[in-house]
Amino acid sequence: MNKIFAIFGDPVSHSRSPLMHNCVFKNLNYPASYIRVHLQDGSKLKETFFSLGLSGANITVPHKEEAFKACDEVRGFANNVGVVNTIINEDGKLIGYNTDADGFMYAIKEFGDIKKILILGAGGTAKALATRFIQDNIDVTVLNRSEARLSYFKELGCKSSTWDGYKTSKYDLVVNTTSAGLKDEELPAPKEIIENILNNTSFVADAIYGKLTPFLELAKEKNITYKDGADMLLGQGVLANELFVNHKLKTDDIKKFMAKSFEL
Ligand code: NDP
């Protein structure tokens, strides 16, 4: 019987995950399909998952923390962050994983040795990345619009600030993990702060993919080397697919056909 996988999010229409995973399943003759589910109420994740008869799913903005709560068991790095982006149906139990952080580490490899990072945003993606960076002894600062979510980062050992208290420093890399620019044309912070940040960094990355966000547009204008979220998406997708197929396909084959879907 064909297995069904899905991506849950709000918004979700922009997601390339269905194309990526279906490209792998189709080309490697794996009996499965991958659909898109627009979920507004995150508390309905579990019941929706089972009512659709899913074998596994990815979770995107803004439900990753809710997904962590919905799991019967959480494995690996997701336990360090309380954020889940991949769930697997294991004999009727929901098992949660996080593949975002390692996907991002894969994406920034080409920037070389990164020692100091500024993260814009303090949501689920920021948590996963900050926790992973700290594991690698990287100096991390988090800048967010509001104060409430910063306590996690303080406890983790990051420096943190809201827009009001932000003081300039030099960074190797600045990464936008806010959803500013995803479905609007906003910058992740007021323009004078962003200008200041961009004038003091070597590299820039955005978790958003498939469009040049206003943040990346500004980085481009300033001739700063940047990348959007496509490689991060590929990295997390390959790791999620390995879990979906229970490691029955070769990683190199998954990567090859998933990367091919970016050309479609
Ligand atoms: P969350 O909803 O958990 O967090 C969103 C964060 O963005 C919060 O810190 C919030 O601030 C901030 N924010 C939202 N709107 C604005 C705004 N207009 N201006 C400034 N800050 C804002 O989201 P996620 O962490 O799950 O996802 C964030 C982004 O990363 C999304 O765009 C998602 O698509 C992308 N992503 C891409 C991946 C990839 O593979 N390329 C993987 C994972 C995520 P506040 O606390 O003040 O509300």
Side-chain angles (χ1 to χ4, degrees), residues 61 64 122-125 144-146 149 177-178 186 188 207-208 229 233:
V61 62
K64 294 183 189 187
T125 307
N144 196 42
R145 171 173 69 178
S146 55
R149 302 201 213 204
T177 72
T178 76
E186 286 180 41
I208 295 171
L233 182 71

Side-chain angles (χ1 to χ4, degrees), residues 135-185:
Q135 280 183 352
D136 278 9
N137 293 318
I138 295 171
D139 180 317
V140 183
T141 304
V142 176
L143 177 62
N144 196 42
R145 171 173 69 178
S146 55
E147 175 76 40
R149 302 201 213 204
L150 291 179
S151 52
Y152 173 90
F153 299 91
K154 285 177 193 157
E155 276 169 35
L156 189 65
C158 304
K159 297 179 198 89
S160 69
S161 171
T162 56
W163 297 348
D164 286 344
Y166 180 70
K167 288 197 189 70
T168 312
S169 186
K170 281 209 177 296
Y171 298 98
D172 298 319
L173 171 67
V174 177
V175 48
N176 175 33
T177 72
T178 76
S179 33
L182 179 64
K183 51 182 176 179
D184 52 46
E185 289 305 311

